Amino acid sequence: MKDPELLYLVGGVVAVLLIATLITRILIGRSGETAVLVNLRQRVNAWWWMMIVFCSSLALGKSGVFWFYGLLSFLALREFITLSPTPRGDHRTLTWVFFLILPLHYIFAGAPWYGMFLIWIPVYAFVFIPIRSALAGDTERFLERTARIQWGVLTCIYFLSYLPMLLYLPIEGYHGQNAKLLFFVVLVTQISDVMQYVFGKLFGKTKIAPKVSPSKTREGLLYGGAAATLIGTSLWWATPFTPVEAAIMSIVLVASGFFGGLVMSAVKRSLGAKDWGRGIPGHGGVLDRLDSLLFAGPIFFHIVGYYFDTSMHDSYQQPQWMYDALRLWIGS
Amino acid sequence: MTGTVLAFLVRLATGVRLLDDVPEDGKRRIYFANHASHLDFVVIWAALPGRQRAWTRPVAAAEYWEKSPLRRWIASRIFKAVLIPRDLARMRAEDPLGKMLEAIGDGADLIVFPEGTRSDTGAVAPFKPGLHHLATKRPDALLVPVFLENLSRILPKGELLPLPLMGQAVFGEPVPCPAEGESKAAFLERARESVMCLSHGHLIPANDEGS
């Protein structure tokens, strides 16, 4: 936490939360403890705790961050599998997933062994999971069961782990400052969530997918997304981006955050639940808060990696002919 | 002390919540629940408030808990289990019902699993008559139904390693004692239904889709 810019970011969040706490107090003082306001107070209180834990992990340095996200992955997967009706035949498979695949993934990520981080889950784990389930001998709904576990592992472990992995993106002229980039991603995505919710409540008319998520409206997405983009852009000084780049990356975060939330909501509904769990008072489960980060993390990571990464690996380089063809097609 | 820590760890690992109000009315309680996992009695025990936990004793199979010194120590020291035999010859010799009534008489609350053994499928099997005997011998005791959710997925029969999933212990309102003229079978079925109706639709064979 030696970086003053990081302290400004933290200070900004603390100020916003103080204002939110104050407004909640005033509203409750004025109109009593209605259900909506009690929920609001719970949510604001939970935000304080989430912010404190998140900042503490940053203060502990890289290992703190990886431990924190490892734990989050564990809790998220726990909620996911609890809601998914996995039968007896999956018990041993899931034991391997929770106690070996998950910790090893975070060990590879934190090491950092970038190549292994990339393929450990999509190649090795995804080959292992159906093998272990097949050995258990239960063929009932085999494909569905395999897909279910793989989806949980992909989102809760693999996608989520891209957030701490941002600490290892070697960006020219930004060495040792990556904590701010992680802060930026989490902040913009979560603020986008909150803004979409608030603007949706205020102006929401057109529901985007009422069956999947009744609270997601076109107006909420547009106004809330615009507000989050503005905030994201105004934080360009903390990122390796120019203001224009910060705006573009904020839009990327808003969009991928929105769709992450939408898809996870659809998954949740298909499992017949309203909330993922009851771990965070006022919010639901851990996954209810993380859902928008699941898609945002990996997409942000790889876009930034493509444009800025110079030394971690060469795989981002496209072949010359493809590059030329693209330029020709775009016409520049 | 060991008990408090253990109960906390069990709640942490299984996601089961501490029950906040069991009235201290001096009445004896018999908690009865569906049975699908070794965790079942531990979870009910851990969900009870500390004071109640101190005088609540699970009723468990003697054959299993007497097998090794460690098991014997856990059963007798930590849970103060009332061990009753399943074996017919031993049952005649040791009078399991008498043991349970004696425990209640000494001021203990009991945790019983009227199915007699752990279910393999997650379905609730018909209840054995023991609960009826207890209810007729001690009509003053409160019969509290408990539905245990998901524990068979955390630690199914025959598995050694538990999964870190979230379970739940749903406590219901006490079931009235056998009414005059009510048959044993009718009472047992009524008790069984009181457990099942706490499941809120979660009582589905694990292979079925939730929705």
Side-chain angles (χ1 to χ4, degrees):
Chain A
M1 287 276 210
K2 274 164 266 160
D3 192 340
E5 286 176 1
L6 188 57
L7 289 178
Y8 299 155
L9 288 176
V10 177
V13 175
V14 169
V16 170
L17 282 178
L18 275 176
I19 295 169
T21 309
L22 201 68
I23 292 176
T24 316
R25 286 262 167 95
I26 292 171
L27 285 177
I28 288 181
R30 199 176 286 167
S31 44
E33 298 202 334
T34 61
V36 179
L37 289 179
V38 169
N39 181 264
L40 182 67
R41 183 173 59 191
Q42 279 183 330
R43 278 174 184 255
V44 174
N45 285 347
W47 274 118
W48 277 108
W49 283 111
M50 290 189 277
M51 204 255 330
I52 289 168
V53 176
F54 174 68
C55 290
S56 314
S57 78
L58 281 183
L60 289 173
K62 283 190 175 118
S63 59
V65 173
F66 277 90
W67 270 102
F68 174 58
Y69 281 92
L71 187 68
L72 280 184
S73 277
F74 182 84
L75 294 174
L77 189 67
R78 183 186 197 208
E79 286 176 356
F80 184 91
I81 300 293
T82 297
L83 280 190
S84 318
T86 54
R88 181 66 196 280
D90 291 340
H91 187 90
R92 294 280 171 94
T93 315
L94 288 168
T95 313
W96 286 100
V97 166
F98 275 106
F99 298 120
L100 193 83
I101 291 173
L102 190 156
L104 270 182
H105 177 71
Y106 273 90
I107 288 171
F108 295 145
W113 182 1
Y114 184 64
M116 198 56 167
F117 159 79
L118 283 182
I119 63 169
W120 168 244
I121 281 175
V123 177
Y124 292 106
F126 278 19
V127 164
F128 173 80
I129 287 166
I131 292 176
R132 187 60 193 86
S133 288
L135 285 175
D138 183 0
T139 57
E140 186 87 21
R141 292 172 191 268
F142 184 79
L143 183 60
E144 273 176 66
R145 283 164 42 207
T146 305
R148 191 144 47 199
I149 297 175
Q150 288 182 336
W151 174 261
V153 169
L154 184 76
T155 53
C156 299
I157 307 178
Y158 187 63
F159 282 179
L160 191 63
S161 66
Y162 270 101
L163 291 174
M165 212 55 191
L166 282 169
L167 296 184
Y168 285 121
L169 260 186
I171 299 165
E172 281 296 322
Y174 196 68
H175 290 295
Q177 306 180 54
N178 287 30
K180 288 183 294 186
L181 200 61
L182 173 57
F183 205 104
F184 175 80
V185 172
V186 174
L187 190 67
V188 173
T189 314
Q190 296 293 352
I191 279 187
S192 167
D193 263 13
V194 174
M195 290 293 172
Q196 284 177 42
Y197 178 81
V198 171
F199 281 97
K201 284 272 174 205
L202 292 176
F203 311 110
K205 284 192 204 82
T206 335
K207 290 185 175 168
I208 295 172
K211 267 175 98 178
V212 177
S213 180
S215 65
K216 286 193 171 39
T217 61
R218 202 183 292 171
E219 292 79 10
L221 174 60
L222 282 178
Y223 302 147
T229 306
L230 270 177
I231 294 169
T233 312
S234 70
L235 296 176
W236 63 273
W237 46 268
T239 68
F241 310 133
T242 64
V244 176
E245 287 168 344
I248 295 170
M249 291 318 290
S250 298
I251 293 172
V252 167
L253 287 177
V254 167
S256 50
F258 172 82
F259 288 118
L262 188 76
V263 169
M264 289 313 278
S265 193
V267 172
K268 184 167 65 179
R269 308 273 154 180
S270 82
L271 295 170
K274 194 187 141 282
D275 286 329
W276 281 107
R278 44 210 162 103
I280 313 176
H283 294 262
V286 174
L287 259 182
D288 287 295
R289 252 329 16 95
L290 288 178
D291 53 4
S292 49
L293 284 165
L294 294 180
F295 290 4
I299 288 175
F300 181 91
F301 180 98
H302 283 298
I303 291 180
V304 175
Y306 179 78
Y307 283 107
F308 289 88
D309 178 12
T310 47
S311 57
M312 198 193 270
H313 58 109
D314 298 326
S315 52
Y316 279 125
Q317 297 292 321
Q318 20 179 188
Q320 192 60 40
W321 66 267
M322 214 179 245
Y323 183 73
D324 293 340
L326 212 63
R327 283 185 67 122
L328 207 66
W329 182 60
I330 295 169
S332 60
Chain B
M1 184 59 202
T2 335
T4 313
V5 175
L6 184 69
F8 174 76
L9 291 177
V10 168
R11 288 197 304 270
L12 191 73
T14 60
V16 165
R17 299 227 157 159
L18 188 66
L19 208 61
D20 39 34
D21 54 333
V22 178
E24 298 204 10
D25 47 14
K27 288 189 176 160
R28 297 279 56 85
R29 284 175 166 71
I30 299 170
Y31 303 97
F32 63 100
N34 56 318
H35 199 18
S37 166
H38 270 319
L39 292 172
D40 289 348
F41 81 81
V42 188
V43 158
I44 296 180
W45 175 85
L48 292 171
R51 283 176 55 86
Q52 264 84 12
R53 202 182 302 134
W55 66 67
T56 303
R57 303 176 60 184
V59 176
E63 282 83 357
Y64 179 84
W65 289 101
E66 282 169 356
K67 231 173 220 163
S68 71
L70 178 68
R71 283 185 193 179
R72 231 171 298 155
W73 184 81
I74 293 173
S76 65
R77 283 302 163 85
I78 297 185
F79 299 115
K80 303 182 198 69
V82 180
L83 295 183
I84 58 168
R86 271 194 199 139
D87 178 68
L88 266 180
R90 274 188 70 185
M91 264 170 97
R92 269 188 212 114
E94 294 178 31
D95 182 23
L97 190 67
K99 273 187 162 178
M100 287 187 252
L101 288 169
E102 193 189 312
I104 298 176
D106 289 345
D109 289 354
L110 295 186
I111 300 172
V112 299
F113 298 101
E115 290 166 83
T117 184
R118 285 173 294 155
S119 149
D120 253 337
T121 56
V124 184
F127 281 7
K128 298 240 162 90
L131 189 69
H132 183 259
H133 294 315
L134 284 177
T136 42
K137 288 269 163 49
R138 287 298 299 249
D140 58 314
L142 298 177
L143 303 170
V144 184
V146 184
F147 178 72
L148 297 171
E149 184 185 322
N150 243 357
L151 299 185
S152 56
R153 287 178 66 211
I154 297 177
L155 189 63
K157 205 170 175 171
E159 291 290 347
L160 210 63
L161 277 179
L163 284 180
L165 305 181
M166 278 175 291
Q168 220 179 330
V170 191
F171 288 73
E173 289 298 313
V175 173
C177 280
E180 225 163 290
E182 188 180 30
S183 73
K184 191 193 277 182
F187 166 78
L188 290 173
E189 189 49 34
R190 180 158 63 84
R192 179 170 168 264
E193 264 158 24
S194 75
V195 170
M196 291 198 295
C197 78
L198 295 172
S199 72
H200 300 293
H202 285 289
L203 195 73
I204 37 162
N207 275 325
D208 268 32
E209 289 295 302
S211 57

